[in-house]
Amino acid sequence: MPLDLLVIGSGVAGLSAAVRAAELHGMAVGVLTKGELDQATTRWAQGGVAAVLAEDPDSTDLHLADTLAAGAGLCDADAVRVLVDEGPGRVHELIALGAIFDRDEHGRLELAREGGHSLPRVVHAGGAATGAEIERALVAAVRSSAAVLHEHTFALDILVEDGRCRGVRALAPDGLVVEIHALHVLIATGGAGQLFSVTTNPDEATGDGVAMALRAAVAVADVEFVQFHPTALHHPAMPRPLLSEALRGHGAKVLDTTGKRFVDELLPRDEVSRAMARRMLELGVDHLWLDATGLENFEQRFPTIAAELSRVGLDPTRDWLPIAPAAHYLCGGIVTDLDGASSLPGLWAAGEVACSGVHGANRLASNSLLEGMVFAFRVVEAIERGKQCPDATGAMRAVLDGDPAESGVIGGRAVPGWARPAPLLIDGAEAGGRVDLGEVKARIQRTMTMGAGVLRSEASLREALGQLEVVERELGAQGGVALAENRNLIEVGRGLMLAALARRESRGAHTRIDYPETDDSSFRCRLVLA
Ligand code: FAD
Ligand code: SIN
């Protein structure tokens, strides 16, 4: 018997869907994840969840306006409306499930401010350990629900029969390739920060879900918009330790090597990262500084960050902290409608892997955990209602030709030069032969960093595309998970760079030094890989 719902990935999006589907609707649910259940970018999340949980002066209209402003003209306003209106309910449900958020002495939720938010509205846990608390609560709920768990199982490709998704092919822990069948599959595999040499993302963030979609000709868009977080600690550790945006919200200042401020720290993070990248180029340095010495009660308010700094011998009450931008978040992904339906019937996407239309060209801080909760919920409710096919809502308007006469509708254009990649033929055996798959990954990362980092140009992108082809040709045909991840990185990287080449403008997280202006007349659209 096929499962009712197979969830791929065990971060906030996948687990939220699994809990709801199994506990509330009694669906037969499977959760398939490539590591342990609690292994996900979610557990690294720091600053918190942006949701309007206090009243006046804040409002969902203001949260909407801030999100649209950060998204630089490419957010779908309906998707953002859904996010800000339904978000507070999802946060309350998470609290009811057992997640503990920080409160003041009167028992009210503490609200922090982050870049791009006009007011403090970010709820957090353990200071800046929000993701760990959310993941803990959801893992506990999933373990006690009726879900079937497939840990250490790597999803390779989507099974498509008669124009519908029927399940996935996966590498089981014993190395065998298996098929798992389900009436509905939710891809919740997170982002692709591992495309770059310097990233805040953990090892699992290799763009697998986006690559699976690309191989199945499922529409993917907005992947040129990679958000670089401005304040990653400049330190050899990988993933880079993050110095949460909440530090800037509390007054920490970004300084150059002469000790001078040069950017408003509370701008959306794409603007701060861009200003930093330019400053670093001008000064010929590889890092700048964050001055958090003026923050009161640093250790009490940010215990996990204080502990991380202490491990590397830094005292934030005394030392300036070395920082540089690091790849942090993939704004685009699998195109969905407002219910998380992809362009392939039976296949759904939620969380960082999806392009719901919420983030546009740049995600507002702390909107990601919220998006995962809100759209996972909507996927399950839509399946429960019997929905089978996507409609022209949210980002899906770019694929299904929403009415361009309607205000706010953002159309789609195919990315020139894109060709659908071949299925992943993996034999399950671990890497053999002469190819060092770790070195291959490092080359992909160096290539992407050089070609498609914070500042890009036609020349940098073309050079990197050429190098990616060389790496691909040299990649052997044998090997297990590491080979699959490298293939996925290459396919997502190629799509990202072709889209970045086609987008001859600068907008949000995409900066072309050869096209520095935003060009609404040609590019207020989604670039679609399908
Ligand atoms: P993830 O949490 O990434 O989960 C993906 C899951 O899919 C993982 O379990 C992974 O193992 C699994 N998977 C992937 N590929 C496969 C495969 N082939 N087969 C099987 N399983 C697979 N956002 C905020 O809103 N607020 C914050 O404060 C915040 N702080 C952040 C701090 C850091 C350091 C980082 C890196 C990100 C932060 N973000 C924050 C972003 C946010 O954490 C992520 O966007 C979000 O957690 C993604 O959730 P997800 O459920 O979509 O995916
Ligand atoms: C942070 O705490 O700075 C990360 C917040 C986010 O990625 O939304």
Side-chain angles (χ1 to χ4, degrees):
M1 276 283 285
L3 293 160
D4 293 321
L5 174 63
L6 176 62
V7 174
I8 316 293
S10 55
V12 62
L15 296 182
S16 300
V19 172
R20 187 162 189 90
E23 287 193 353
L24 203 76
H25 296 302
M27 292 183 197
V29 178
V31 178
L32 186 157
T33 191
K34 67 179 169 180
E36 307 275 319
L37 199 59
D38 68 352
Q39 229 173 302
T41 300
T42 297
R43 80 170 180 201
W44 296 72
Q46 292 194 347
V49 184
V52 176
L53 294 158
E55 290 166 12
D56 194 43
D58 203 3
S59 69
T60 51
D61 285 350
L62 267 181
H63 188 186
L64 179 121
D66 291 344
T67 304
L68 294 178
L74 278 198
C75 296
D76 179 89
D78 294 341
V80 181
R81 177 51 77 192
V82 162
L83 179 85
V84 300
D85 283 356
E86 297 182 11
R90 301 294 84 81
V91 175
H92 284 303
E93 284 166 11
L94 196 59
I95 292 171
L97 202 70
I100 299 168
F101 287 91
D102 298 332
R103 293 179 184 268
D104 66 15
E105 64 275 21
H106 307 291
R108 290 179 301 234
L109 287 166
E110 278 181 0
L111 304 178
R113 186 164 176 200
E114 293 183 2
H117 289 276
S118 48
L119 287 168
R121 67 165 72 94
V122 177
V123 290
H124 44 85
T130 312
E133 177 57 11
I134 291 177
E135 189 72 12
R136 182 202 62 74
L138 286 170
V139 164
V142 164
R143 286 211 188 275
S144 66
S145 78
V148 180
L149 304 181
H150 301 274
E151 290 174 90
H152 299 287
T153 304
F154 187 95
L156 293 167
D157 266 321
I158 297 161
L159 293 173
V160 185
E161 264 172 47
D162 303 327
R164 188 180 168 87
C165 173
R166 306 282 174 185
V168 297
R169 253 174 8 98
L171 251 184
D174 58 7
L176 291 179
V177 176
V178 295
E179 290 191 356
I180 302 175
H181 296 270
L183 300 178
H184 299 272
V185 172
L186 169 61
I187 304 275
T189 48
Q194 288 290 322
L195 275 169
F196 295 88
S197 307
V198 173
T199 179
T200 61
N201 287 196
D203 287 349
E204 339 36 293
T206 47
D208 300 347
V210 174
M212 284 163 67
L214 291 171
R215 289 192 291 270
V218 173
V220 163
D222 287 354
V223 285
E224 64 274 32
F225 298 112
V226 177
Q227 184 175 79
F228 287 76
H229 197 296
T231 54
L233 187 68
H234 181 68
H235 180 270
M238 202 61 72
R240 281 283 200 264
L242 185 70
L243 302 178
S244 173
E245 191 133 343
L247 299 181
R248 280 175 283 134
H250 273 64
K253 304 294 177 224
V254 175
L255 305 177
D256 69 13
T257 44
T258 66
K260 198 169 142 210
R261 274 183 78 199
F262 57 93
V263 62
D264 173 356
E265 292 82 357
L266 287 179
L267 287 170
R269 62 177 65 141
D270 61 319
E271 296 186 49
V272 181
S273 288
R274 199 161 34 245
M276 285 175 60
R278 290 204 164 112
R279 197 65 161 179
M280 285 159 63
L281 265 181
E282 278 161 23
L283 297 171
V285 295
D286 62 2
H287 67 276
L288 299 168
W289 299 99
L290 187 71
D291 177 4
T293 55
L295 270 62
E296 283 174 13
N297 304 324
F298 191 105
E299 198 163 341
Q300 288 84 345
R301 173 64 182 82
F302 301 107
T304 47
I305 298 178
E308 183 80 47
L309 290 172
S310 158
R311 261 194 296 280
V312 297
L314 288 165
D315 175 356
T317 64
R318 203 193 52 210
D319 303 318
W320 288 357
L321 310 172
I323 51 167
H328 185 65
Y329 186 84
L330 185 64
C331 298
I334 301 175
V335 178
T336 69
D337 70 7
L338 292 183
D339 290 320
S342 79
S343 60
L344 177 68
L347 185 78
W348 309 74
E352 187 167 342
V353 74
C355 172
S356 63
V358 154
H359 307 305
N362 175 52
R363 170 176 69 91
L364 182 65
S366 286
N367 266 354
S368 173
L369 296 168
L370 190 70
E371 184 198 22
M373 295 174 210
V374 165
F375 286 89
F377 174 102
R378 291 179 71 91
V379 166
V380 173
E381 293 308 306
I383 291 173
E384 181 66 14
R385 284 198 309 276
K387 177 169 173 153
Q388 298 295 334
C389 293
D391 24 64
T393 59
M396 190 56 76
R397 286 164 154 156
V399 175
L400 295 183
D401 292 327
D403 180 0
E406 257 179 74
S407 70
V409 171
I410 295 160
R413 275 174 31 195
V415 173
W418 173 251
R420 175 184 175 185
L424 205 49
L425 296 173
I426 296 288
D427 62 4
E430 272 310 320
R434 60 193 171 76
V435 186
D436 175 346
L437 291 172
E439 175 49 26
V440 170
K441 182 174 177 185
R443 280 173 67 192
I444 297 169
Q445 292 173 328
R446 285 194 297 272
T447 301
M448 294 299 298
T449 303
M450 180 271 293
V454 180
L455 306 175
R456 306 154 172 190
S457 67
E458 170 121 11
S460 77
L461 289 161
R462 285 208 186 283
E463 164 79 19
L465 267 168
Q467 287 193 20
L468 212 54
E469 263 176 41
V470 175
V471 178
E472 188 175 21
R473 277 200 298 275
E474 290 173 9
L475 191 59
Q478 236 204 354
V481 167
L483 172 69
E485 288 183 339
N486 279 332
R487 279 279 306 274
N488 289 340
L489 288 171
I490 288 173
E491 283 158 15
V492 177
R494 180 189 297 119
L496 187 162
M497 291 202 283
L498 285 172
L501 262 178
R503 188 171 283 285
R504 292 179 162 189
E505 63 158 0
S506 293
R507 179 189 296 272
H510 169 73
T511 305
R512 287 278 301 258
I513 53 176
D514 43 354
Y515 293 95
E517 305 300 328
T518 300
D519 178 358
D520 272 341
S521 61
S522 303
F523 291 108
R524 193 159 174 272
C525 63
R526 296 189 204 291
L527 297 178
V528 182
L529 302 158

